[in-house]
Amino acid sequence: MKKLIILGGGTAGTMMANKLDKLLDKKIWSITIIDKDTIHYYQPGFLFLPFGIYEKKDVIKPRAKYIPDDVELILSDVDRVVAEENQIFLADGRTLDYDYLIIATGTEIRPDQTPGMLGEEWRKSIFDFYTFEGAVALTEQIKDWNGGKLVVAITEIPFKCPVAPLEFIFLADAFFSEKGIRDKVELTLVTPMSGAFTKPIATKKLSQLLGEKQINVITDFYIEHIDNENKKLVSYDEQEVSFDLLAIVPMNMGNEVIARSGLGDDLNYVPTDKHTLQSKAYPNIFVIGDATDIPTSKAGSVAHFAGEILTENLLSAIEGRPLTASFDGHANCFIETGFGKGTLIDFNYTTEPLPGTFPYPIIGPFSLLKPTRLNHIGKLLFRWMYWNILLKGRELPIDSHMSMAGKKEMTV
Amino acid sequence: MAQATLATYSVEVNEEGYMLQPDQWNKEIAEAIASELGIKLTNKHYEVINYLREQYAAGNALTIRKVGQSGITDIKGLYVLFPKGPLKYSSKIAGIPKPASCV
């Protein structure tokens, strides 16, 4: 028997298990997926918890339910991968051999990397919204909050879902408006980048929206430490931003198992060919999702589009053929803008988010870089699509490669 | 894309003044860009600039954190050398394209 192991049972890993379960001949291949715990979280939903749009039950499902019957699920911490020997050492002492390995270990928040983040105020006035526990704790805090300075801050780039902090602050604007206390809340976005988003046209459109909603933006602010006593963010060049409530995006790093295995860069991301998705160091290792170092967003949509390419290339590698499928960095993200509206961006390695309609010219139905009711409905429908289409490795009616159809070329 | 005259050299730059051809760069150009930014270049500045150029030539992505771990200076030191723009300004002076931040 030949063995394929998938390391990580999150969005990318589960999707790959489902795709390959259908394509690999089980008389020849066994597929094993390893994860450390039993719950699969719908991570895009964390953002909706603090504002009462989703409840806890909306974002939690048993991990095993989404793993095909023929795929073995091992629940264990992993000590390390020894890639030279094609072996994985589990924390419980077991050793597994593989012929091919797919690394899908994701990215994690690391509040421990910034002095003061895990201080006195952690989960009192400082919260993350990238973990279930963080989002739940913030929900409790925000419910009875009477106003003051709410700061949403990004610590370091890259980070998972670069639109999430924007969505958070748009949703906060709507939440406090509906509560009738928006005039008592000062909203500020703090970012180490030079603008609200990374790409010029999207930044221009989103900055307009932030301005209309009276949300302050502080750019080029690189957090050095958090002063718990005075509730202040302090930057490396000694600027300060004070807060009453801080929703922080802590530094992101790849899983520690990548570091222990010597497979990562300085942020524990695995050096990966950005077109073939093969590890740069080992031809029998492929990498998908947030675990890679490829220069596109760390987002579920990217994992989905990359999944189709990885599947094709893995099958080619197994059969000794050249890897001809090429990933273009395609990302597609709905951005909630509050009050029942959302906007949408669609881009890749070389084309920045542009205005227009999606996926079809003129008829859309979705609008790019423009807040509409339909985009919001698209975001809500996405949760159903996530559990029923995306995770199960089924095709979406959207091409893996980004299309220019419906997009309007423009310059800033 | 545009042409700019820096020191006495005609070089290709983008709309923000970042050089597009790192091999057109030389120290006189670096001094000219630095003085526009109000920065007086010292040996320490050049250590950072050379590191950036080497990393860029090797195809490695650059972040403030990475430069801070280079052993040349830490992040605070980088802010002292290139106030307001530790990576943006140092890259501009080093004659390499503006580093792409996250995507």
Side-chain angles (χ1 to χ4, degrees), chain B residues 8 13 15 20 22 32 45 53-55 65 68 79 81 85 98:
Chain B
T8 56
V13 294
E15 63 279 8
L20 296 169
H45 288 93
R53 290 181 61 82
E54 282 163 23
Q55 293 295 317
R65 178 184 151 86
Y79 270 95
L81 292 169
K98 188 178 179 181

Side-chain angles (χ1 to χ4, degrees), chain A residues 27-188:
Chain A
K27 290 192 210 72
I28 305 171
W29 285 93
S30 72
I31 305 176
T32 302
I33 187 163
I34 307 172
D35 204 290
K36 60 182 183 299
D37 58 34
T38 56
I39 299 172
H40 189 118
Y41 291 107
Y42 177 60
Q43 297 177 67
F46 289 170
L47 191 65
F48 287 155
L49 290 174
F51 306 108
I53 301 167
Y54 281 172
E55 294 173 38
K56 291 181 197 171
K57 65 172 172 49
D58 295 324
V59 300
I60 292 180
K61 304 258 183 188
R63 200 181 291 287
K65 191 178 163 192
Y66 295 89
I67 307 295
D69 293 342
D70 286 348
V71 171
E72 181 191 16
L73 171 63
I74 294 180
L75 292 172
S76 169
D77 278 314
V78 173
D79 176 38
R80 66 191 193 279
V81 178
V82 181
E84 287 82 9
E85 309 287 335
N86 302 326
Q87 278 186 327
I88 293 175
F89 291 82
L90 300 181
D92 61 15
R94 276 183 289 171
T95 307
L96 305 171
D97 298 309
Y98 62 83
D99 294 281
Y100 281 90
L101 175 65
I102 296 174
I103 296 177
T105 43
T107 183
E108 290 169 3
I109 59 158
R110 293 293 296 268
D112 59 309
Q113 298 289 309
T114 302
M117 203 176 287
L118 290 177
E120 282 279 299
E121 291 297 319
W122 179 248
R123 301 226 166 130
K124 286 191 189 133
S125 63
I126 304 175
F127 298 86
D128 80 275
F129 53 91
Y130 277 82
T131 58
F132 180 69
E133 296 75 20
V136 169
L138 184 54
T139 308
E140 290 305 309
Q141 180 68 23
I142 236 168
K143 215 168 50 184
D144 306 316
W145 198 55
N146 295 318
K149 290 176 182 159
L150 170 57
V151 174
V152 179
I154 298 159
T155 308
E156 175 66 289
I157 47 176
F159 62 96
K160 189 189 319 226
C161 191
V163 299
L166 291 167
E167 294 187 276
F168 186 92
I169 210 156
F170 287 141
L171 289 173
D173 168 61
F175 179 80
F176 294 118
S177 297
E178 279 154 17
K179 233 179 143 184
I181 60 164
R182 179 62 181 90
D183 58 336
K184 296 193 179 71
V185 179
E186 189 183 311
L187 293 173
T188 306

Side-chain angles (χ1 to χ4, degrees), chain B residues 7 25-35 39-55 67 70 72-73 78 81-82 89-95:
Chain B
W25 180 90
N26 61 42
K27 283 194 173 185
E28 286 167 70
I29 292 172
E31 303 282 348
I33 302 171
S35 79
I39 295 168
K40 177 100 187 72
L41 296 180
T42 63
N43 287 343
K44 203 71 183 168
H45 288 93
Y46 275 109
E47 281 183 52
V48 174
I49 289 166
N50 290 334
Y51 172 82
L52 295 178
R53 290 181 61 82
E54 282 163 23
Q55 293 295 317
V67 183
S70 64
I72 298 166
T73 181
L78 206 56
L81 292 169
F82 303 96
Y89 290 169
S90 56
S91 300
K92 197 170 188 180
I93 298 167

Side-chain angles (χ1 to χ4, degrees), chain A residues 22 38 49 61 119 132 143 207 223 250 254 291 295 297 313 337-338 347-348 361 374 386 389:
Chain A
K22 296 189 195 92
T38 56
L49 290 174
K61 304 258 183 188
F132 180 69
K143 215 168 50 184
S207 300
I223 300 169
S297 290
N313 281 337
T337 53
F347 58 105
N348 69 12
L374 259 175
Y386 180 85
I389 298 180

Side-chain angles (χ1 to χ4, degrees), chain A residues 162 194 198 220 222 251 267 297, chain B residues 64-65 79 88 101-103:
Chain A
S194 299
T198 52
D220 298 297
Y222 200 41
M251 182 163 167
L267 290 173
S297 290
Chain B
I64 296 175
R65 178 184 151 86
Y79 270 95
K88 279 188 294 183
S101 46
C102 90
V103 270

